[in-house]
Amino acid sequence: MAYSDKVIEHAENPRNVGTLDKEDPSVGTGLVGAPACGDVMRLQIKVTDGGVIEDAKFKTFGCGSAIASSSLATEWLKGRTLDEAETIKNTDIVAELNLPPVKIHCSVLAEDAIKSAIDDYRKKQASRRAQG
Amino acid sequence: MALKLPIYMDYHATTPVDPRVLETMIPYFTEKFGNAASRSHRFGWEGEEAVGYAREQVATLINAEKPEEIVFTSGASESNNLALKGVAEFYKDKGSHIITTKVEHKAVLDTCKRLEKQGLTVTYLDVDKTGLVSVDDVRNAITDKTILVSVMLANNEVGAVQPIGEIGKLCKERGVLFHVDAVQGIGKTEFDVRAMGVDLASITAHKIYGPKGVGALYVRRSKPRVRISAQVDGGGHERGMRSGTLNVTGIVGFGKACEVLTQTWRDEVRKIEAQRNRLAERIFKNLDEVYLNGPALDSGKRLPNNLNVSFAYVEGEGLMMAIKDVAVSSGSACTSASLEPSYVLRALGVDEELAHTSIRFGLGRFTTDEEVDFVADLVVGKVKKLRDLSPLYEMAKEGIDIKSIQWAAH
């Protein structure tokens, strides 16, 4: 199976690879997938007090499509509000990267990673307010 | 000299046709195109003679007693089907039990599954953690209903070379027929049907620098005389065992490929083994957490051209994409439609996590030292890069036990 040019481009030059401090209250971390299934994505967002994603980082264990999906997700997340970020759908990723049917699960995983990171951030904020 | 890309290191999958083989085949496409079954004219005689000569070349390579013991087929999948189904049908009054292993090729395993549906019993033997079957396990599995034992000469994924001679001896003692899928081992490890007590053997041309679409089933004619029921009916070609107009051109190429191998294989093994060891050494020296799958390189129980390694924390397909100028294969789930990692690695007890990170390198006749060095350096560089990208590698380096995490299966 041949990869699309966009997948190859992202996999060869992944954007926003890295790690944010997961203890930082302004950082939300999503860790999804499983090593036994062949893909694990960790996606992190750093959110301003105004609710805007100012930074996004990822690391992914997986095939080229999984790496490209998470790389693309971080690109899309930066500058968006949390509400806007939540509207990103796996089908948007499929369309942008021309993923074939057998690789759709990579896009689903990326969507899960986004949701999980936002969720983690919101939980942290809620527990801070409860403590504060 | 500049390297020519892409580099082919997937010789277990197939091989290019050797120029000597191609040259031998060419006249049979256009001038000598006769049907080997045409008895009434020169075109047919020419074809028949060419097939006869090829039969001798194939027989010589595996040390068959007579050329008539070679039945030409479309390839090893057909040969495996014919051996198992043909024996099961012919000997159905004698017994209904077959013994094989969990690491056979799908052409054997799926044929066994079908035979089970038809009422036969099949024992699938476990292998040890290097992929080797135990002769004692074969002995213990034989019952008075057993008609056939089928074990591969060498495994296509991890290169494990099975104790064929010992199993052959055992089968003779117990009066059970012995089939060997010899596809991967031919020309890379000793294979002698007479010395090893083999009754049926499947081989194919395209793994030994011959053309695709032609193979053979060796069917022993004496001590014992092995009988099989034909699975393709028609003109009664191949002494009634396999009807269908013979692929004369392909058979001529197959014969030539066998002849070349008979003359060169021992030298070739030395060359390939040195290159395989050089590749392994360079990879293991420059990377941590790389695990060999299959028998040790110096064990004498591994194909000389096979290297199968797991690069922990780097998914196999992701790595293949990063080294896309090199053709290899992976036991990763992502390479198959089923999303299941390799059943062979699973049979060896390799963790699923590590199975997903496995890469199989297959070296061959035309592999050069320059290619080996290029591939080794490329792999080392890309594995390091992908580990920088891997959340699992980061966690492992922080001392987090990956297995202690509650992962959500998906």
Side-chain angles (χ1 to χ4, degrees), chain B residues 174-315:
Chain B
R174 303 293 294 269
V176 173
L177 293 179
F178 183 32
H179 167 249
V180 175
D181 171 358
V183 167
Q184 291 289 341
I186 284 274
K188 300 183 192 79
T189 184
E190 195 76 41
F191 186 61
D192 178 326
V193 291
R194 275 192 277 176
M196 293 176 166
V198 175
D199 299 313
L200 300 122
S202 303
I203 52 177
T204 194
H206 79 102
K207 310 278 193 194
I208 55 170
Y209 312 95
K212 291 166 187 62
V214 56
L217 179 66
Y218 159 77
V219 185
R220 180 183 283 274
R221 297 252 286 180
S222 63
K223 292 188 235 162
R225 175 173 186 154
V226 178
R227 311 292 298 274
I228 53 172
S229 296
Q231 301 300 307
V232 178
D233 295 313
H237 307 76
E238 299 297 90
R239 290 172 313 290
M241 284 185 268
R242 198 271 192 183
S243 288
T245 296
L246 289 172
N247 170 8
V248 176
T249 316
I251 289 168
V252 165
F254 186 17
K256 182 67 182 179
C258 288
E259 183 192 293
V260 171
L261 215 52
T262 301
Q263 292 160 357
T264 61
W265 81 271
R266 286 177 194 280
D267 291 334
E268 204 159 282
V269 161
R270 275 191 287 277
K271 181 213 90 137
I272 303 173
E273 188 162 32
Q275 289 178 330
R276 189 273 313 273
N277 292 349
R278 181 185 178 112
L279 176 66
E281 205 171 289
R282 224 159 152 132
I283 288 172
F284 281 89
K285 195 175 73 194
N286 291 300
L287 290 170
D288 62 342
E289 299 219 46
V290 180
Y291 305 96
L292 181 72
N293 298 312
L297 301 185
D298 60 0
S299 62
K301 291 178 178 169
R302 186 178 190 118
L303 289 180
N305 69 327
N306 172 279
L307 182 66
N308 187 316
V309 283
S310 286
F311 298 94
Y313 317 117
V314 176
E315 200 275 331

Side-chain angles (χ1 to χ4, degrees), chain A residues 46-67:
Chain A
K46 186 172 170 61
V47 185
T48 66
D49 292 341
V52 175
I53 298 169
E54 59 173 337
D55 200 4
K57 296 278 184 205
F58 86 97
K59 281 197 177 187
T60 289
F61 162 82
C63 65
S65 302
I67 292 169

Side-chain angles (χ1 to χ4, degrees), chain B residues 101-145:
Chain B
T101 80
K102 288 184 177 167
V103 295
E104 298 300 306
H105 190 270
K106 286 286 183 190
V108 166
L109 293 178
D110 287 353
T111 301
C112 285
K113 295 256 156 57
R114 187 177 295 276
L115 290 171
E116 280 182 295
K117 279 185 200 153
Q118 293 169 4
L120 277 86
T121 312
V122 180
T123 301
Y124 301 91
L125 295 174
D126 286 320
V127 292
D128 70 11
K129 62 183 182 5
T130 68
L132 292 166
V133 71
S134 134
V135 181
D136 283 336
D137 285 354
V138 179
R139 180 178 293 114
N140 295 334
I142 295 177
T143 71
D144 54 4
K145 291 268 191 300

